[in-house]
Amino acid sequence: MFALLVLLILKPGTVTSWSVTFENPDPCALKGSSVEFRCSYHYKDGETVTKTAWYKGELRNGIWLRVELSDLPSYENRSEYLGDQQHDCSLAIHDVQDSDSGYYFFRFDTKTYGWRSRNSVYLSVTELSARVQPVKVRAGDNVTLECVTSCQLPNAVWFKDGRPVAKPEFQAQAEDSGNYLCAVEGQESVLSDPVALHVQYPPMNVSVEVSHPGNLTVDSSVNLTCSSAANPVADDYTWYRGTASSSRSMLQVGSGQVLSLPSEEASHTGLLYLCQARNRLGESNSTGVLVTVDETDINRFILLVGIGVKVVIVLLLMLVIVCAWRQRRNSAVDKEENSHDYENMG
């Protein structure tokens, strides 16, 4: 009321020297970010500013009121006056919340009277929403990333699993699967919620793992396990066998992710095994795995067998000699006993 009375008694032409100007009257801020109201004010020469204050318009009990920010607990430690008591009346609000949306006003007082801005600053609060079009693609398809807000904001930047994304449009590859987030350039600390991109592709990097790597022994068995990268995962595995000298003519020998080779089959040296992994998008083969038997072990086995045979022969010969000797000895004893009986009878 005091300010109104003062304005009424001002002389014509005096009012124009008193003003408040907002440089960005309709700012839009991201939730969680900071926003600045750029503001300047002017007054009659010779006046001294004694107080500056920002207000927010609020509807209370059906009555529209302008409430000073310092009287609103929700702005404590979040509103920062960037201006001075001369001509700068800029204000910053940190950690912007949805409830911060609304109209803001500025007022300054001199020793003579106060002046309130005729216009206001209207703050809009928005959030980032990341979109991937389409969400599910096949390798080679085009993908577009969209960062959506309810306000016009500067250029968006993108991140995939924490790493920057060069372009928002690209041809999807297997390694592009992951979670994507967007942010406004210069405000990278405020991120959207993640959105997932699923890239489907046929099996790749098919490999075979041998349960006993290296050369096998003659009495050993082995398991061959097939693995691959695929989306969806490979659900069909086929095993083929050939020889190292003729790898082109392969014979199907099994199915399933694991191929078990019994000891008698594993003992056949020089066999080449490969796995074919398949899903509904395609198939791919592993490189061949050569199954070999340690020749040193074979030679050792043959040597042991040979030594065993010789030992058996020697033992048999010794047994024959002992038996023959015992038989001769028994015959000599019988003759001697018979001769003594003949002499006694005479």
Side-chain angles (χ1 to χ4, degrees):
M1 182 63 72
F2 173 75
L4 180 59
L5 292 175
V6 171
L7 291 176
L8 291 175
I9 63 175
L10 289 176
K11 295 181 180 180
T14 305
V15 176
T16 57
S17 61
W18 297 76
S19 64
V20 175
T21 303
F22 299 123
E23 297 181 24
N24 55 332
D26 299 304
C28 183
L30 292 174
K31 182 179 179 180
S33 68
S34 296
V35 63
E36 180 180 342
F37 303 158
R38 295 186 298 274
C39 170
S40 61
Y41 63 104
H42 302 277
Y43 47 88
K44 183 180 178 181
D45 292 341
E47 294 286 347
T48 300
V49 177
T50 58
K51 180 182 177 181
T52 58
W54 277 89
Y55 296 76
K56 183 182 180 185
E58 293 202 351
L59 189 63
R60 295 184 176 180
N61 298 324
I63 301 176
W64 179 259
L65 301 175
R66 293 178 175 87
V67 183
E68 191 170 346
L69 295 187
S70 59
D71 294 332
L72 295 173
S74 62
Y75 288 86
E76 186 177 359
N77 299 324
R78 292 198 306 118
S79 63
E80 178 185 6
Y81 184 63
L82 303 177
D84 51 34
Q85 289 190 318
Q86 295 180 354
H87 298 288
D88 189 353
C89 52
S90 299
L91 173 74
I93 298 178
H94 305 292
D95 190 18
V96 173
Q97 303 299 314
D98 291 330
S99 58
D100 295 336
S101 297
Y103 294 93
Y104 292 81
F105 306 86
F106 177 72
R107 170 174 174 155
F108 67 93
D109 292 285
T110 67
K111 293 181 179 180
T112 306
Y113 57 90
W115 181 271
R116 185 177 62 205
S117 60
R118 295 180 178 179
N119 299 322
S120 63
V121 174
Y122 184 80
L123 173 63
S124 300
V125 180
T126 187
E127 294 187 61
L128 297 175
S129 177
R131 295 180 184 175
V132 176
Q133 300 292 339
V135 173
K136 185 178 294 185
V137 298
R138 292 189 178 187
D141 290 348
N142 293 326
V143 174
T144 301
L145 306 177
E146 295 179 322
C147 195
V148 182
T149 68
S150 59
C151 302
Q152 186 69 30
L153 294 173
N155 294 333
V157 291
W158 285 89
F159 301 90
K160 172 187 171 289
D161 300 329
R163 297 181 179 180
V165 177
K167 297 180 180 180
E169 297 182 359
F170 54 88
Q171 281 190 330
Q173 302 300 324
E175 61 271 16
D176 293 325
S177 292
N179 293 318
Y180 289 79
L181 307 91
C182 67
V184 171
E185 189 174 9
Q187 301 182 50
E188 286 81 358
S189 61
V190 181
L191 297 169
S192 68
D193 290 334
V195 60
L197 172 64
H198 301 281
V199 181
Q200 297 183 331
Y201 51 94
M204 56 189 298
N205 300 327
V206 182
S207 62
V208 175
E209 181 181 357
V210 183
S211 59
H212 300 291
N215 290 343
L216 304 174
T217 58
V218 292
D219 59 346
S220 64
S221 61
V222 65
N223 288 335
L224 305 181
T225 303
C226 186
S227 61
S228 67
N231 186 22
V233 296
D235 53 5
D236 187 15
Y237 298 90
T238 305
W239 292 91
Y240 296 90
R241 183 181 68 191
T243 60
S245 59
S246 180
S247 59
R248 293 184 178 181
S249 57
M250 305 294 287
L251 176 67
Q252 182 176 339
V253 292
S255 61
Q257 194 168 5
V258 179
L259 178 66
S260 297
L261 302 179
S263 57
E264 61 271 14
E265 187 172 352
S267 64
H268 297 164
T269 186
L271 297 181
L272 190 70
Y273 290 84
L274 66 80
C275 166
Q276 182 182 82
R278 182 185 297 107
N279 66 7
R280 60 183 177 81
L281 299 179
E283 59 190 34
S284 183
N285 294 342
S286 70
T287 56
V289 174
L290 186 64
V291 177
T292 59
V293 178
D294 195 337
E295 294 181 358
T296 302
D297 188 73
I298 293 177
N299 294 334
R300 186 183 299 113
F301 177 77
I302 295 174
L303 179 62
L304 290 176
V305 171
I307 293 174
V309 171
K310 290 179 180 179
V311 169
V312 170
I313 293 174
V314 171
L315 290 175
L316 290 174
L317 288 175
M318 291 179 64
L319 181 61
V320 169
I321 294 172
V322 171
C323 290
W325 177 80
R326 286 183 177 180
Q327 186 175 2
R328 289 180 180 180
R329 183 173 178 275
N330 291 335
S331 297
V333 171
D334 289 341
K335 288 181 179 180
E336 183 178 354
E337 289 178 352
N338 291 334
S339 65
H340 287 322
D341 292 339
Y342 177 79
E343 290 177 355
N344 290 335
M345 291 175 63

